[in-house]
């Protein structure tokens, strides 16, 4: 199917997936483009392809880490999954087997309690005019999570689970430290009894010692409430610690995806190898073999033909410049999008070995 907008066609061809109950989230060929307006009559002259065909599945009760350079589309992917950035451009987002973008206003209102987000900046995401108790409890009242009689005790219990005291309810966000503000954001999300939470770089604005506390809190809450996380981060060490699976994004595409141990012990894509080479090693006797990428990320409004990474790849071949690579399963559950593995038989070869 193709959709036309001001004489510019958007390719929306994909094979729909069947809902699978073992996955809480199934993302299939998800695209999110933002129009570029220009001309005297302000018509669409192009698109910023922020998310350009992302596919992955997320099992219940697990954590998927999403990594990549700034501007690669990680945050837009998280927001598009939650339907926070308008309509999708293409693809599927199945939450508990239901297409999120097919839900009407009432159905979307009801499902909001099951899908939450923790934002990167804990200060700007909190209203400075509301006390903490109101910030956490506003959505609880809106969705009728508990009765009026149980409301105060419920909020106290949620705050206690997140390391906050009952007397904090009457204080305002500016009276708290960065770590405490992030605990407030976590409590606000947890108060709605969610099943799935997008953690959009929740520790990047915090000190290292506070980061560890917040990561441990997220782990404890996941175990207690059986939560599922999509953990977006630049910090690869944190991602390795908290994630069960990892997806590596580059310029709107998922270039590698698999179990955390497989990805970190055996990175396959040249971009993944370059990212991981920048992870600091806490041992002065070990010399780091840093892979330095030449150039900068191309514009998502005008991505290069073929493989989007070929302009910065040391292993670039002629086919990379003209033909986009397809996703291949090299090991069980370990997928890569790269022409270097065109001749690899993948799972069958590994099983024979």
């Amino acid at each position: 199917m193709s959709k036309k907008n001001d004489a510019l066609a958007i390719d929306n061809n994909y094979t729909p997936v069947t809902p699978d109950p073992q996955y809480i989230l199934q993302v299939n060929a998800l695209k999110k483009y933002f129009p570029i307006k220009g001309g005297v009559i302000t018509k669409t002259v192009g698109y910023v392809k922020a998310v350009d065909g992302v596919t992955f599945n997320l099992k219940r009760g697990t954590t998927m880490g999403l990594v990549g350079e700034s501007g690669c589309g990680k945050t837009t992917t998280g927001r598009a999954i939650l339907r926070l950035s308008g309509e999708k451009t293409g693809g599927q987002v199945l939450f508990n087997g239901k297409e999120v973008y097919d839900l009407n206003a009432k159905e979307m209102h009801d499902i909001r309690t099951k899908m939450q987000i923790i934002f990167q900046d804990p200060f700007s995401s909190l209203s400075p005019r509301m006390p903490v108790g109101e910030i956490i409890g506003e959505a609880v009242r809106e969705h009728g999570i508990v009765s009026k009689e149980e409301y105060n005790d419920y909020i106290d219990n949620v705050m206690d689970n997140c390391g906050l005291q009952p007397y904090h309810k009457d204080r305002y966000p500016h009276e708290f430290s960065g770590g405490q503000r992030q605990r407030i954001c976590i409590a606000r999300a947890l108060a709605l009894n969610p099943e799935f939470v997008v953690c959009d770089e929740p520790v990047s604005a915090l000190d290292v010692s506070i980061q560890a506390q917040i990561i441990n809190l997220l782990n404890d809450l996941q175990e207690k409430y059986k939560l599922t996380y999509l953990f977006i981060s630049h910090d690869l060490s944190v991602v390795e610690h908290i994630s069960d699976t990892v997806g590596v994004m580059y310029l709107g595409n998922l270039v590698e995806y698999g179990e955390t141990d497989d990805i970190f012990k055996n990175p396959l894509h040249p971009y993944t190898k370059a990212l991981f080479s920048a992870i600091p090693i806490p041992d002065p006797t070990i010399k780091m073999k840093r892979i330095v990428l030449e150039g900068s990320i191309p514009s998502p409004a005008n991505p290069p033909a073929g493989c989007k990474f070929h302009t910065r790849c040391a292993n670039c071949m002629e086919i990379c410049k003209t033909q986009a690579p397809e996703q291949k399963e090299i090991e069980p559950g370990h997928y890569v999008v790269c022409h270097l593995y065109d001749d690899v038989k993948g799972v069958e070869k590994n099983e024979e070995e």
Side-chain angles (χ1 to χ4, degrees):
M1 175 187 289
S2 288
K3 181 173 68 174
K4 290 197 173 182
N5 188 347
D6 289 340
L8 287 176
I10 297 176
D11 182 13
N12 192 20
N13 293 315
Y14 66 94
T15 303
V17 297
T18 303
D20 189 334
Q22 71 171 314
Y23 300 116
I24 189 172
L25 183 70
Q26 293 173 264
V27 179
N28 177 34
L30 177 63
K31 295 184 179 182
K32 178 60 184 178
Y33 296 175
F34 296 94
I36 301 172
K37 301 292 183 178
V40 179
I41 58 175
T42 319
K43 69 174 184 178
T44 299
V45 296
Y47 293 96
V48 175
K49 300 178 179 180
V51 181
D52 194 19
V54 169
T55 299
F56 65 86
N57 297 324
L58 185 54
K59 290 185 177 181
R60 299 177 187 278
T62 65
T63 299
M64 175 182 166
L66 195 59
V67 302
E69 293 172 288
S70 295
C72 69
K74 304 185 301 295
T75 294
T76 306
T77 298
R79 290 173 178 263
I81 289 170
L82 298 180
R83 199 173 168 180
L84 293 178
S85 55
E87 290 299 309
K88 66 182 178 182
T89 303
Q92 282 179 291
V93 180
L94 302 183
F95 179 72
N96 284 330
K98 296 181 179 179
E99 170 58 70
V100 173
Y101 284 86
D102 286 345
L103 302 177
N104 59 37
K106 183 183 183 306
E107 292 171 332
M108 199 66 221
H109 177 271
D110 294 340
I111 207 174
R112 286 292 181 202
T113 62
K114 303 302 179 186
M115 306 168 69
Q116 287 293 300
I117 184 170
I118 300 169
F119 295 99
Q120 177 178 359
D121 187 350
F123 189 68
S124 62
S125 62
L126 299 174
S127 172
R129 299 184 179 183
M130 295 175 65
V132 168
E134 285 296 309
I135 290 174
I136 297 173
E138 183 181 26
V140 173
R141 281 199 299 264
E142 167 68 22
H143 290 276
I145 303 297
V146 295
S147 64
K148 291 183 180 179
E149 294 76 18
E150 301 173 305
Y151 175 79
N152 286 324
D153 289 340
Y154 180 78
I155 298 301
D156 288 346
N157 183 57
V158 170
M159 293 178 65
D160 181 63
N161 287 335
C162 296
L164 299 168
Q165 301 300 318
Y167 63 82
H168 287 152
K169 285 195 295 187
D170 298 324
R171 296 186 179 180
Y172 290 82
H174 72 271
E175 300 179 67
F176 294 88
S177 65
Q180 287 175 313
R181 289 175 194 149
Q182 197 60 285
R183 289 177 184 271
I184 295 168
C185 294
I186 294 171
R188 178 175 59 183
L190 186 67
L192 296 177
N193 294 323
E195 297 177 12
F196 169 64
V197 181
V198 174
C199 304
D200 186 9
E201 302 196 43
V203 297
S204 63
L206 307 177
D207 293 337
V208 175
S209 60
I210 306 301
Q211 286 184 12
Q213 295 177 22
I214 297 300
I215 292 298
N216 290 334
L217 173 62
L218 290 172
N219 278 331
D220 292 341
L221 293 173
Q222 181 177 40
E223 184 176 346
K224 185 174 182 179
Y225 295 101
K226 309 302 179 186
L227 299 172
T228 304
Y229 294 143
L230 176 63
F231 194 90
I232 299 169
S233 179
H234 284 100
D235 194 327
L236 297 173
S237 299
V238 171
V239 169
E240 183 179 15
H241 173 72
I242 196 174
S243 302
D244 299 292
T245 57
V246 175
V248 182
M249 282 195 72
Y250 183 80
L251 207 62
N253 293 107
L254 209 60
V255 297
E256 190 165 353
Y257 170 75
E259 299 289 330
T260 302
D261 288 343
D262 293 339
I263 294 287
F264 277 84
K265 290 179 181 178
N266 182 31
L268 299 175
H269 198 281
Y271 177 65
T272 307
K273 293 177 181 179
L275 279 184
F276 288 4
S277 73
I279 301 176
I281 300 175
D283 187 343
T285 63
I286 298 178
K287 187 176 181 180
M288 296 175 60
K289 296 180 180 179
R290 179 72 188 274
I291 300 174
V292 180
L293 296 176
E294 300 293 334
S296 57
I297 302 179
S299 169
N302 186 28
C307 173
K308 293 181 180 180
F309 186 61
H310 85 261
T311 58
R312 305 172 71 193
C313 182
N315 305 107
C316 178
M317 303 176 291
E318 283 302 316
I319 190 175
C320 302
K321 301 176 182 179
T322 57
Q323 185 175 330
E326 297 181 356
Q327 188 182 74
K328 304 172 191 67
E329 188 175 16
I330 305 303
E331 303 173 308
H334 191 170
Y335 300 87
V336 67
V337 181
C338 181
H339 284 302
L340 291 174
Y341 304 92
D342 284 351
D343 296 330
V344 177
K345 294 184 179 179
V347 176
E348 295 179 0
K349 179 179 179 180
N350 281 275
E351 288 177 349
E352 291 174 0
E353 293 176 350

